[in-house]
Every structure is written in structure tokens, then in C-alpha cells.
Amino acid sequence: MGNFKFAEDFLFGTATSSVQIEGGDTNNTWYEWSELGYIKDSSSCFTACDHWNRVEEDTKILQDLNVQTHRLSLEWSRIEPQPGQYSEEAIRHYREEIKLLLASKIEPLVTLHHFSEPIWFQQLGGWSKPENKKHFIAYVQYVVEKLGDLVSEWVTFNEPNVYANLGYLLGIFPPGKRSLLEYFKITSALIETHIELYTLIHELRACRGFLGQTKVGVAMHIRFFDGLTWLGRRTAALVDYFFHQIFIEGMVRGKLKFPLISLDHKKIKKTGYADFFGINYYTRNIVEFSLNPSIYFHKCVTDKKLDKSDLCWDIYPEGIYRVCCRYYRKYKLPVYITENGLSDRADRQRAKFIVDHLAYLAKAIQEGIEIQRYYHWTVMDNFEWLEGESAAFGLYHCDFRTQQRTPRPSAMLYAQICKTKIIEQNPINN
Ligand code: NOJ
């Protein structure tokens, strides 16, 4: 028991994504998905938090939270509304937003792909057609040329494993495909694109002489899969392999693991394609074997002993410690917790959730695990994909009708932690 002070160079932040907060864009795949009626509460990302028109107000919230860094994503469908046609207005908008962050002493970490895409990209066949990756690469080149003087740290893909899983294997995210073959195919495409982008972003920033050390990585969704029985443990290991390992080995080390195959046949030259290890950690799953092939022979169950978020996700703070230890020991890359949070409309659990997760990070740090950042998901309630407006991940409540933002009590606590970098009464025995 006792207090813990994070090092001065440890940065606290918040994370958001464009489609989830901006509103007003009809050119992205999630607008179409909302229109098709796939969102549980029939809401649409067209509304969201109207952040596009409230950048100053929302930057003020970040200042009030005392964050030192903020992770945001750029909306591809706004910047490139038609193939090869870029919107000067959209890029100017993001430049202004990033300048405001910098003027507030908030370091931006910019995500290039956070689930949403222009509708035209899907119409061209999306990632299922290997030749389409050239569109995303050209887009990133444009963005880095335009913003690379302001931004040195980049996330290429947010949760590529969730994107591939839900969009191409389970068919519940756009483009709604349900095929194991497609899953492996687009996984290879995402990995090969990340590898090209890693080199491209480094080279571009270096040859333009942009200041600040370039860092490029991925924000991987990582959960712990535990099995309780012998068969459960074997099943959990397989799920872990197909959900985590093939992506991580590909994007961090440039290795295409079985059954992935190269789609562009270029030689992978290096062995490292990440400058930090980005972890989005939310929960863990207990995995059981199932005879049902349509759920790929496994099912995830909750642990009755654990508290649950509004979405019934198990609250398991120890998991953040376990994932940090596991991946730092394996890859020796500085860890960024690129997301961590919960849906808790009544704000009954968020303060404890934050402190407990940070306490486990403190424990890992004391054991020599290099963790450099913590980004809380998220600033305000927003458009939570399939859950629409019904989930409440925000430190601030957002009333989507009036666009009134109201801090929850846990926002005060997080602001205090960001300012002092101290967590009081560390509940973990060291
Ligand atoms: C991870 C995703 O990156 C983010 O978009 C989402 O809102 C949170 N998880 C919560 O589900």
C-alpha cells in the first residue's frame, strides 16, 4: 500500500477517433452502416459530438483535464472525398486543430486508420483487393507531407485485429463479410501496408527535415484469453494466435506467420516496424471450447466474480499488468497504453477503474517494464460503433441533442492524476 508517482517523462493523455466524435460526414463507411440500420439504438455517426464545429471548446476540455498528450484520428473520407482528390479545407481544419493542441502543450499522437474508410474505397473492393492499398499509402503520403511538421508520432492502424475480425470474419462491422479466407487475406494486406507506411513516414519526415523524433506504431487491441480447463487453455492459445499473434508478429517484426502469405511479394528488409508497442486494453475473456463451427469452435464467457461495465465487460485490472509484462519482455519496445476505459454512465466505477489500472501499470514499471504513456478512452461519450449513443465511455457526459458537455466526477480525479502524476493509496501489494 502507498502512493506512487509516475516519472516526469511519463505522459498522461486521452484518446478519440474522428467518426466517433466529429459528426456531419456522409462519405464514410460508418455513415452508410448507420443508414443501413445496423446500430443498436438506431443512432448515426452523423450526429456524434459535433466536434468538427467545436474544436476550440473541446481543446479547452483537454486543458482542463491537464493531459500532456492526446491521441486523435484523421478522417480519410473527409481528406480524400474522391480517389486522388484531396480537400484543402479538411487538411487545414486538422492543421488548426493540431496547432491548438500544441499551443496548449499537448503532444498529438495521430491515428491514420481508425475503423472508418471512404465509401469509394469500399466500392473499389477495400482491402480485399491487394492493389487497393496504394490508395491508402498515397493518402498517408499526402497527410504526412501536409502535417508532418506538426506531428512526429503516428499510429498507422487502430485495432487492425478487431477491424479484420468484426468486418471480415463475423460480418458485424463494415464491409460485413463473413469469411475465414478474407480474414487472412486482409490481415496480410494490413500488415504489408503497415510495413510500407512505417518506412514511408520515417523517410518523408527525415527528407523534409521535420523536427521531432519520428515514431510509428500500431494500437493493437489486446485482451487476455484465459482457459480454465485443459481444453479451454488450448482453445485460448489458438484464439490468441489468430487474434493477436499473427497481427503483432506481422506489424512489429515483419513476419507473416502461418497461414498468412505475402500478397505483394516484395522482400521484407528489416526486422522491426514499430517504435512503440501500442496496447488498447479493456478486458479479458475466459475461453471455452465449443463444438459449434459457426462461432469458430470457441466461446468467450465472463467471470462471475468480477465487476462488470455497463456493456458487461469484465473489469480485470490485473490484465493490463499481464499484457504489458508479456509484450515488453517479448519485443522490448516501450509500451504506450493507447486506450483504456469503460462504459459507465452512472460513473460509479470509473474512478476506481482508473486508479486500479494505473496501480497495475505502476507495479509493472517498478518491475522494469518500460511504459511511457497512458491514454484514457475517452474524453466524452461518443458514437460507440454498434452500440451507437447508448454506451458512455466519457470522462464527460455528452448530451447529443444539445451538445452540452458535462464533467463526471471521475474527470476531476483524472485531471488531478494528470497534473500530479500521483496515484494515491496504490491498492496493489508490491
Ligand atoms: C477500442 C476502439 O479503438 C474505440 O474506437 C472504441 O470506442 C473503444 N474500443 C471502446 O469500445
Side-chain angles (χ1 to χ4, degrees), residues 2 12 18 68 71 84 90-91 133 150-151 187 193-194 197 210 221 248 259 272 287 344 387 394 415 429:
F12 284 94
S18 49
Q68 297 101 43
R71 178 175 166 231
I91 208 75
K133 77 179 173 78
L150 303 177
V151 180
T187 299
T193 306
H194 166 78
L197 292 179
F210 292 152
H221 182 98
I248 297 172
V287 179
D344 177 21
E387 308 293 331
N429 291 323

Side-chain angles (χ1 to χ4, degrees), residues 50-335:
D50 192 33
H51 170 74
W52 187 257
N53 299 308
R54 292 163 195 266
V55 171
E56 286 187 13
E57 178 184 350
D58 292 343
T59 309
K60 175 78 180 61
I61 291 181
L62 298 183
Q63 290 170 0
D64 291 345
L65 286 170
N66 302 314
V67 295
Q68 297 101 43
T69 178
H70 178 64
R71 178 175 166 231
L72 69 159
S73 77
L74 308 175
E75 187 48 43
W76 180 10
S77 64
R78 284 191 192 268
I79 297 178
E80 191 179 1
Q82 290 302 321
Q85 283 176 24
Y86 297 104
S87 159
E88 288 286 333
E89 189 208 328
I91 208 75
R92 216 177 306 118
H93 176 100
Y94 286 118
R95 257 195 97 73
E96 289 310 312
E97 176 163 6
I98 292 165
K99 277 182 168 171
L100 263 184
L101 290 176
L102 291 169
S104 315
K105 302 213 174 346
I106 299 172
E107 271 306 310
L109 171 63
V110 171
T111 307
L112 294 159
H113 185 286
H114 195 126
F115 295 165
S116 58
E117 287 155 359
I119 292 171
W120 61 257
F121 182 71
Q122 274 306 333
Q123 285 168 346
L124 290 175
W127 300 100
S128 302
K129 294 227 177 98
E131 65 273 22
N132 281 345
K133 77 179 173 78
K134 66 173 183 288
H135 293 288
F136 190 59
I137 291 171
Y139 160 74
V140 172
Q141 166 143 13
Y142 174 80
V143 161
V144 176
E145 300 262 7
K146 296 285 182 185
L147 303 176
D149 57 330
L150 303 177
V151 180
S152 51
E153 302 203 3
W154 303 85
V155 167
T156 55
F157 288 99
N158 175 71
E159 300 196 342
N161 50 344
V162 170
Y163 170 83
N165 206 273
L166 302 188
Y168 292 79
L169 189 63
L170 302 179
I172 56 176
F173 268 24
K177 296 195 179 173
R178 220 185 126 82
S179 148
L180 196 56
L181 194 67
E182 281 283 319
Y183 179 67
F184 293 133
K185 209 169 141 191
I186 77 126
T187 299
S188 301
L190 298 178
I191 290 171
E192 293 188 320
T193 306
H194 166 78
I195 288 173
E196 273 193 52
L197 292 179
Y198 178 88
T199 313
L200 177 76
I201 298 171
H202 273 275
E203 284 179 358
L204 264 178
R205 288 197 80 254
C207 86
R208 295 282 178 276
F210 292 152
L211 299 177
Q213 193 189 348
T214 306
K215 291 186 189 166
V216 181
V218 177
M220 200 65 72
H221 182 98
I222 301 190
R223 33 180 83 211
F224 236 91
F225 292 120
D226 277 328
L228 298 182
T229 59
W230 181 87
L231 193 55
R233 279 189 288 277
R234 297 293 156 301
T235 312
L238 272 181
V239 174
D240 180 71
Y241 180 81
F242 288 112
F243 187 68
H244 295 135
Q245 295 313 317
I246 56 174
F247 288 89
I248 297 172
E249 284 288 298
M251 292 187 170
V252 172
R253 284 199 172 139
K255 282 192 189 156
L256 287 174
K257 302 280 281 184
F258 172 83
L260 305 181
I261 47 164
S262 171
L263 301 173
D264 69 6
H265 308 293
K266 276 193 200 145
K267 269 257 168 298
I268 291 172
K269 296 192 205 87
K270 298 195 326 138
T271 49
Y273 293 93
D275 303 311
F276 55 86
F277 196 92
I279 297 176
N280 291 1
Y281 174 77
Y282 286 88
T283 187
R284 77 110 173 240
N285 286 122
I286 308 242
V287 179
E288 288 175 356
F289 175 73
S290 159
L291 280 171
N292 185 349
S294 75
I295 53 168
Y296 302 102
F297 300 103
H298 74 284
K299 68 176 188 231
C300 293
V301 296
T302 56
D303 182 339
K304 293 194 185 63
K305 294 190 293 301
L306 297 178
D307 288 336
K308 313 276 176 266
S309 73
D310 291 348
L311 296 178
C312 277
W313 297 359
D314 283 352
I315 299 179
Y316 180 64
E318 192 180 347
I320 205 166
Y321 165 81
R322 291 175 73 195
V323 293
C324 288
C325 293
R326 175 176 180 186
Y327 291 104
Y328 181 73
R329 289 190 180 125
K330 185 156 180 196
Y331 295 108
K332 297 283 180 300
L333 285 170
V335 173

